[in-house]
Amino acid sequence: MNREFDPLPQASLAGLYCEVAHTDSTTKVSQHSPAVEVMTDLTRVPAATISAETSLAEANRAMMMRGVRLLLVTDSRHQVRGVITVADLLGERPVHTAREHGIPPGELTVAKVMTPLEKTEAVELGEVLRADVGHVVATLRRSGRQHALVLDRLEGGRGIIRGIFSLSQIARQLGEPQPLSTEIARTFAEIEAAIAA
């Protein structure tokens, strides 16, 4: 179905007083709003992904360019192998991992500092569809993390990462101050435990 598209007419902004549109206050999100209203739905927004072989510096650049703080680590078949967050990149984990493996921190790849899928938890989509925003916030606080993945379970032991919850995005949508990162504190706790062992 080949169809030609005509360009849309464009208006000049010269001489206009322009403001950025405000969110419709009648649809403001609250703690009692449906949880799906604050979920990044990966069927509508492309997932931010990265390869496990990517350097940490490149992963940091990818996060900055996409404006995200979490990347899904995928292989060549688009299977999720883990996650990496800004706290993983900028916390003490790279230094500790480099020392543990006896390599310079600049040579570390995403695979060395990511949280593998086996150690990652997700909220089931069915639970999300029955939950409110307050349930999501409570879940993130309990886990001490800034993000939560949403799993859509399929037949045959398969699943799809269907969405992502971000505490900073939820705070923006609620009109609240941005939360302090709890992931870096968790990373320091992990390092202290590893050093004590």
Side-chain angles (χ1 to χ4, degrees), residues 3-197:
R3 192 175 128 193
E4 297 250 348
F5 293 97
D6 293 327
L8 297 172
Q10 292 183 299
S12 171
L13 299 180
L16 290 178
Y17 175 79
C18 292
E19 294 181 7
V20 175
H22 296 282
T23 305
D24 183 358
S25 60
T26 60
T27 59
K28 185 177 179 190
V29 174
S30 75
Q31 294 275 347
H32 301 286
S33 298
V36 293
E37 290 187 19
V38 296
M39 180 182 87
T40 300
D41 186 341
L42 298 179
T43 65
R44 297 177 183 270
V45 177
T49 63
I50 199 156
S51 163
E53 292 77 35
T54 307
S55 72
L56 297 188
E58 187 58 36
N60 191 37
R61 278 192 292 279
M63 283 186 194
M64 288 190 295
M65 288 185 67
R66 291 286 305 263
V68 297
R69 296 178 181 185
L70 176 141
L71 297 169
L72 296 172
V73 183
T74 57
D75 63 19
S76 59
R77 295 175 300 169
H78 303 290
Q79 286 189 295
V80 179
R81 297 297 178 198
V83 297
I84 188 161
T85 67
V86 70
D88 297 330
L89 294 174
L90 303 180
E92 292 294 320
R93 188 182 286 185
V95 174
H96 177 70
T97 303
R99 191 176 315 139
E100 185 179 286
H101 292 281
I103 58 175
E107 293 179 19
L108 286 174
T109 61
V110 167
K112 295 287 188 195
V113 298
M114 72 178 193
T115 302
L117 195 63
E118 310 80 63
K119 293 184 178 181
T120 305
E121 295 178 333
V123 180
E124 301 249 4
L125 181 60
E127 295 295 326
V128 170
L129 295 175
R130 293 187 292 273
D132 292 336
V133 172
H135 295 113
V136 175
V137 172
T139 302
L140 289 167
R141 284 187 179 145
R142 182 186 65 207
S143 70
R145 300 229 177 248
Q146 294 287 311
H147 300 90
L149 302 180
V150 178
L151 173 70
D152 190 0
R153 196 177 293 272
L154 305 176
E155 294 178 7
R158 297 181 324 127
I160 294 174
I161 303 301
R162 171 64 189 274
I164 299 173
F165 288 113
S166 162
L167 199 55
S168 60
Q169 177 183 320
I170 293 170
R172 270 194 308 275
Q173 288 183 259
L174 289 170
E176 294 179 2
Q178 295 297 304
L180 295 173
S181 175
T182 56
E183 284 185 298
I184 291 192
R186 185 181 183 113
T187 304
F188 284 123
E190 290 170 357
I191 290 167
E192 287 175 355
I195 291 171

